[in-house]
Amino acid sequence: MIDLKNVSKIYSNTTALSNFTIKIDKPGIYCLLGRNGAGKTTLLKTIAGHIETTEGEVSVAGKPVKPLAMPDSVHFVETAASHFNLSLEQLLKAAAAINPAFDSDFALEIAKKFNLNLRKRYRKLSFGMKAMVNTLIAMSSGKDILILDEPVLGFDPVMRKTFYDLLHESVASKPKIVIVSTHIIDEIAKVAEQLIIINHGKLLLYSDINEIDEKAYSITGPAEYVAAATEGLNVLADTKAGGFLSRYIYDKRIQESDKYSINTLSLQDFFIGLVGNEKGGF
Amino acid sequence: MNAILGMTKLNFKHSKIAYLITGAALLSNVISLVLLGFGIDSGVNDIATYLFALPIFMAIFIPALNFYPFMNLGGKRIDFFQANIITYLITIFIVTAISFLVHSTIDQFVFNHNDYDISLWTTFGFTQNNNFIAMLQMFSFFTLLISAIHAIVLMQGRWYGWVINAIIVAIISVFTPIAPLRAALAWFFNLIIFHDTAILQIINCLILAAIIYTASLIPLKHKPV
């Protein structure tokens, strides 16, 4: 459904996306990870048709995407989005006025779940509540592809939990592609099915989350045993403390041994190991 | 089409600043006239002229303020482009009709046919033609003006916006004192306002408006969210 072929985006002297190719066609929740300035927002805005590529092709549902030919099936929202200073009730009506597919009943239902005051004007809402309104509008848009750029920024833990539950519920009730960019990695890992990691504008990893659970692990033990056991494996990063060595691996599992310990990596550790040491690539 | 009409409605609903400025200008004009007790002894803009502030301010504030909220509500740029021209045309049509009515009635009464009435209708000479043609002339001229303002506002923040700003300043400051350039300016104004043949003035304005408004797709395409 989403197809990017050799997409590059260059701003003056900065390359935000470099020869980026990806195909996303299975409904589900996709987690987009990358460090600040990695090109996440540029990628998301390119898919939504808000940015014209310097090179390459972007298509959604088989149709080329450009700023003047934005896809019908995509709803993009970022945390800091500005809105008309209306009450939430009026804002939902405005959303329904410009989007015939907008599901007002669902929007009201979510607003109730989040205890949002329908009479409160947008500018009077807290940062977290504004972010929630933006997410609410996206989730009620009735579109097949939702792109949420940092949706949980400003949410307290309870709101984040409710948000992830709703996201899961929303995809389960009507299959759709949801791409979520976030820095709160381990939380999204509980609901996301696919992982996209971007670094320096390049696609570093596009994988099933379960595959990462299987293949991402760390080995700790005396340096000589760890070095021998990990020979030929894909080492993401290593840390040394005295005679002990810890290695982050993304590869096939090795056999357990009493000479070293093996621990499964959390998604956050895996991500840091992957992009933190600038090694990258598999 | 639903999305375009939805945006058009929202444009009318969210043009409060334009309504307020126009309302304030009209009110101050009416208060001045009342305080003068209609004893006007110098040139004063008439009420009909002030009404045209509305489409002008709408063309400034709609592209400047309504773009981001529309995009964040899930709108599309091309729909925004179409909704805006519909908003402008409806506004210009209504304002032109009301302005003509006010010019023919209230302003005639207030100014009592004296020489102090500064009116776009008489200054442009449109009232020399029949009423329908005069309104069509004003409608066409304002369609051109509003298209230009809309395009210029969208260009702000882009390099070509600054170039256009510099050109406008150059036209105002350089063209006026230099005779041949002043003649060029006079030729242009003749083309869009003072043309002897009303139908040609209308056609010129509408063609130029169509070109300029279509060209506004370029800054709209580049406008970031």
Side-chain angles (χ1 to χ4, degrees):
Chain A
M1 202 163 198
I2 301 170
D3 199 0
L4 277 82
K5 283 182 193 155
N6 305 317
V7 170
S8 294
K9 178 66 190 175
I10 300 163
Y11 298 103
S12 307
N13 301 322
T14 312
T15 303
L17 288 178
S18 175
N19 208 24
F20 201 100
T21 298
I22 195 168
K23 197 168 189 165
I24 300 172
D25 45 17
K26 216 170 73 182
I29 301 171
Y30 292 71
C31 169
L32 175 65
L33 297 181
R35 298 185 68 182
N36 290 333
K40 297 189 297 292
T41 300
T42 302
L43 172 67
L44 298 179
K45 285 184 176 177
T46 303
I47 296 170
H50 281 306
I51 291 177
E52 194 161 34
T53 60
T54 311
E55 275 173 34
E57 290 166 28
V58 183
S59 66
V60 170
K63 288 181 185 167
V65 174
K66 288 190 164 122
L68 295 179
M70 290 166 70
D72 287 322
S73 50
V74 174
H75 188 103
F76 168 81
V77 72
E78 55 187 344
T79 308
S82 65
H83 281 292
F84 294 119
N85 188 27
L86 297 169
S87 67
L88 180 54
E89 193 173 12
Q90 289 172 312
L91 203 57
L92 296 180
K93 279 182 187 165
I98 65 167
N99 174 14
F102 190 81
D103 189 343
S104 299
D105 295 335
F106 183 67
L108 291 170
E109 194 187 314
I110 304 179
K112 205 174 164 187
K113 277 191 181 174
F114 281 95
N115 294 321
L116 291 170
N117 183 348
L118 290 172
R119 288 185 185 169
K120 208 163 186 181
R121 282 180 176 263
Y122 185 73
R123 277 186 212 148
K124 298 262 181 195
L125 297 172
S126 67
F127 183 77
M129 288 294 182
K130 281 180 184 168
M132 180 44 69
V133 170
N134 288 321
T135 307
L136 183 156
I137 290 170
M139 286 169 84
S140 315
S141 67
K143 303 282 174 84
D144 294 328
I145 301 168
L146 305 185
I147 298 178
L148 311 173
D149 193 6
E150 299 279 359
V152 294
L153 203 69
F155 282 14
D156 61 41
V158 178
M159 282 171 86
R160 288 208 297 271
K161 165 89 173 60
T162 318
F163 165 78
Y164 291 122
D165 289 348
L166 269 173
L167 199 62
H168 200 255
E169 209 179 293
S170 164
V171 175
S173 64
K174 190 195 168 201
K176 54 174 87 77
I177 292 172
V178 182
I179 306 176
V180 184
S181 119
T182 181
H183 288 295
I184 305 176
I185 300 170
D186 286 332
E187 285 186 7
I188 189 75
K190 290 173 192 162
V191 289
E193 292 143 53
Q194 300 283 328
L195 179 69
I196 301 165
I197 296 182
I198 181 174
N199 199 30
H200 298 307
K202 289 181 179 164
L203 180 66
L204 207 56
L205 178 79
Y206 178 26
S207 169
D208 194 300
I209 289 259
N210 293 329
E211 196 176 310
I212 292 157
D213 284 342
E214 285 166 23
K215 290 168 79 175
Y217 59 96
S218 69
I219 310 174
T220 307
E224 65 271 25
Y225 291 120
V226 171
T230 56
E231 203 181 325
L233 295 180
N234 185 17
V235 179
L236 301 176
D238 47 28
T239 51
K240 223 171 174 183
F244 275 76
L245 177 66
S246 288
R247 274 192 164 164
Y248 294 102
I249 308 295
Y250 184 75
D251 214 317
K252 62 176 196 272
R253 286 270 173 175
I254 58 166
Q255 279 196 330
E256 301 275 346
S257 165
D258 55 1
K259 295 191 172 66
Y260 45 77
S261 67
I262 298 175
N263 295 300
T264 300
L265 279 183
S266 69
L267 188 57
Q268 178 156 307
D269 289 337
F270 171 69
F271 172 69
I272 293 168
L274 194 59
V275 301
N277 67 346
E278 302 295 332
K279 257 187 159 179
F282 292 108
Chain B
M1 195 62 195
N2 281 345
I4 297 166
L5 292 178
M7 278 191 193
T8 306
K9 273 190 215 167
L10 287 167
N11 268 339
F12 282 114
K13 203 172 171 184
H14 296 283
S15 292
K16 287 187 189 105
I17 302 176
Y19 299 143
L20 280 172
I21 296 174
T22 308
L26 268 173
L27 192 67
S28 67
N29 183 244
V30 171
I31 290 170
S32 307
L33 292 173
V34 171
L35 289 177
L36 286 169
F38 299 169
I40 301 156
D41 56 3
S42 63
V44 176
N45 282 318
D46 63 12
I47 298 166
T49 299
Y50 275 102
L51 287 168
F52 286 106
L54 181 62
I56 291 173
F57 284 111
M58 282 174 87
I60 293 171
F61 291 113
I62 286 176
L65 301 179
N66 290 7
F67 175 75
Y68 301 106
F70 278 140
M71 293 303 109
N72 292 329
L73 286 173
K76 290 159 75 176
R77 285 164 199 258
I78 199 73
D79 292 345
F80 182 71
F81 171 81
Q82 290 170 298
N84 286 354
I85 192 64
I86 295 172
T87 309
Y88 298 146
L89 290 177
I90 292 172
T91 309
I92 297 166
F93 176 80
I94 294 170
V95 166
T96 302
I98 296 174
S99 172
F100 187 78
L101 199 68
V102 170
H103 173 74
S104 317
T105 55
I106 300 170
D107 284 335
Q108 298 303 324
F109 169 71
V110 171
F111 289 92
N112 197 22
H113 299 285
N114 64 29
D115 294 331
Y116 302 124
D117 176 8
I118 300 175
S119 170
L120 281 186
W121 291 98
T122 47
T123 307
F124 289 172
F126 294 163
T127 42
Q128 289 166 359
N129 301 308
N130 77 46
N131 295 351
F132 177 72
I133 296 291
M135 282 196 276
L136 210 53
Q137 284 185 282
M138 193 64 96
F139 175 85
S140 314
F141 169 73
F142 267 92
T143 302
L144 170 60
L145 181 66
I146 264 54
S147 300
I149 293 170
H150 170 88
I152 290 167
V153 171
L154 278 177
M155 282 176 204
Q156 301 310 306
R158 310 291 307 181
W159 66 266
Y160 44 83
W162 294 104
V163 171
I164 295 287
N165 293 349
I167 290 171
I168 292 169
V169 172
I171 288 171
I172 295 165
S173 54
V174 179
F175 274 54
T176 317
I178 301 169
L181 295 178
R182 194 165 63 241
L185 209 56
W187 171 83
F188 178 70
F189 283 132
N190 188 50
L191 198 72
I192 61 164
I193 303 172
F194 304 109
H195 205 286
D196 293 335
T197 314
I199 195 73
L200 283 179
Q201 180 263 335
I202 292 165
I203 291 169
N204 293 339
C205 283
L206 292 180
I207 289 174
L208 274 173
I211 293 169
I212 293 171
Y213 196 76
T214 306
S216 77
L217 279 170
I218 297 166
L220 181 63
K221 188 169 82 170
H222 294 137
K223 198 168 172 70
V225 289

